[in-house]
Amino acid sequence: MKIEGSVALVTGANRGIGEIFVRELLRRGAKKVYAGARDIASLGAVVTNDRRIVPLEVDVTNPDQVDGAVATAQDLTLLINNAGMAGWQGVLSAPDVKIARDEMEVNYFGVLLMSRAFAPILAANGGGAIVNILSMLSLVTLPAAGTYSASKAAALALTRSLRAELKHRGTAVIATLPVQVETAMGQPLPEPRLKPEEVVLDTLDGVERGTAEVFPGALTRNVAEAFEASPKAVQAQLSEMLPAMGGSVANSGFL
């Protein structure tokens, strides 16, 4: 699909990758961009004098707010499920399972709720596209971020199922799988890190080309090539990166 003339909704638009998505969508000629955030006040500088930006309060884990977003964005043609969270903890070293549940709620169930809610809207408006911002940890497991890895793996399985189910409706479903990114959420991870702009530019290029799974930036592509050559070797390397007791992140390179 073409970005020019589209109507997009970006969740988690208040900072990082989400904020860059809003800017780049407008630069590419989007007709309207719904900037979604749990707290509209947090959008701050994202909401400019550009009338094409529509602030939208939406917590992707709250079914009532998701329904409210659907009621508002009836003209949607492009859904970007960008909202995410990471606790950076191991499976056993974490003090409890609260963070694991939160990660699954946002990273998996949030994507599921938003996609189910907007699929009929997209179909009615000609098909459009759903973009899910995932991670290379959808494909490999980093024990230092074990519960996050699990939530992103679940989200990739969901994305592939959505792609199959929505094909007959003309809705493209794209997964973006970056390594570590220079955002507030990515700060615990080591350098080098991708720039958010790399993720956004390559993702939107992928949308326009109809690419099913995007590996944005040279850093991600290098890892993806290594994974394609030997998935077991990459997983074996990551399996050595264990969490410290108490759930802190060990040295890793895969967000």
Side-chain angles (χ1 to χ4, degrees):
M1 68 171 289
K2 291 294 185 183
I3 302 302
E4 185 175 5
S6 66
V7 177
L9 191 166
V10 181
T11 64
N14 54 317
R15 61 180 182 174
I17 295 171
E19 180 177 355
I20 302 300
F21 263 121
V22 173
R23 304 290 183 219
E24 183 62 18
L25 286 163
L26 295 176
R27 193 191 70 79
R28 295 192 185 205
K31 182 166 60 176
K32 183 189 296 183
V33 179
Y34 294 99
R38 286 182 296 177
D39 179 6
I40 288 181
S42 70
L43 289 167
V46 177
V47 180
T48 66
N49 292 328
D50 194 321
R51 294 184 179 180
R52 292 177 294 170
I53 301 176
V54 179
L56 183 66
E57 184 177 54
V58 56
D59 177 345
V60 300
T61 70
N62 184 321
D64 290 337
Q65 289 197 13
V66 171
D67 289 344
V70 170
T72 298
Q74 288 284 304
D75 50 352
L76 198 72
T77 61
L78 174 59
L79 171 63
I80 300 179
N81 286 311
N82 169 70
M85 70 90 60
W88 305 126
Q89 61 181 20
V91 173
L92 298 179
S93 59
D96 53 44
V97 299
K98 181 184 184 307
I99 294 297
R101 291 186 185 278
D102 290 344
E103 287 168 333
M104 197 63 75
E105 284 291 337
V106 176
N107 300 340
Y108 173 75
F109 285 108
V111 173
L112 177 59
L113 283 174
M114 291 290 290
S115 299
R116 284 177 57 89
F118 277 100
I121 303 299
L122 294 172
N125 292 333
I130 297 172
V131 177
N132 295 334
I133 308 303
L134 305 181
S135 167
M136 273 301 297
L137 293 183
S138 304
L139 294 171
V140 289
T141 298
L142 179 68
T147 56
Y148 175 81
S149 298
S151 70
K152 288 298 187 176
L156 178 58
L158 168 63
T159 300
R160 290 171 172 172
S161 293
L162 286 169
R163 186 179 300 135
E165 288 196 61
L166 293 178
K167 183 177 181 179
H168 75 284
R169 299 190 191 182
T171 300
V173 181
I174 295 100
T176 295
L177 297 94
V179 294
Q180 65 271 19
V181 185
E182 188 62 56
T183 62
M185 193 173 81
Q187 285 303 306
L189 297 175
E191 297 179 345
R193 292 190 282 262
L194 289 175
K195 295 180 180 179
E197 289 82 1
E198 294 179 88
V199 178
V200 171
L201 294 176
D202 284 0
T203 297
L204 293 182
D205 287 347
V207 170
E208 295 200 307
R209 289 194 302 264
T211 305
E213 294 179 358
V214 177
F215 297 92
L219 188 61
T220 305
R221 287 189 288 274
N222 289 340
V223 176
E225 288 172 5
F227 178 79
E228 183 176 4
S230 181
K232 290 183 179 179
V234 174
Q235 183 58 69
Q237 178 185 355
L238 294 187
S239 294
E240 297 297 318
M241 300 174 183
L242 298 173
M245 294 306 294
S248 62
V249 177
N251 184 39
S252 65
F254 301 82
L255 170 55

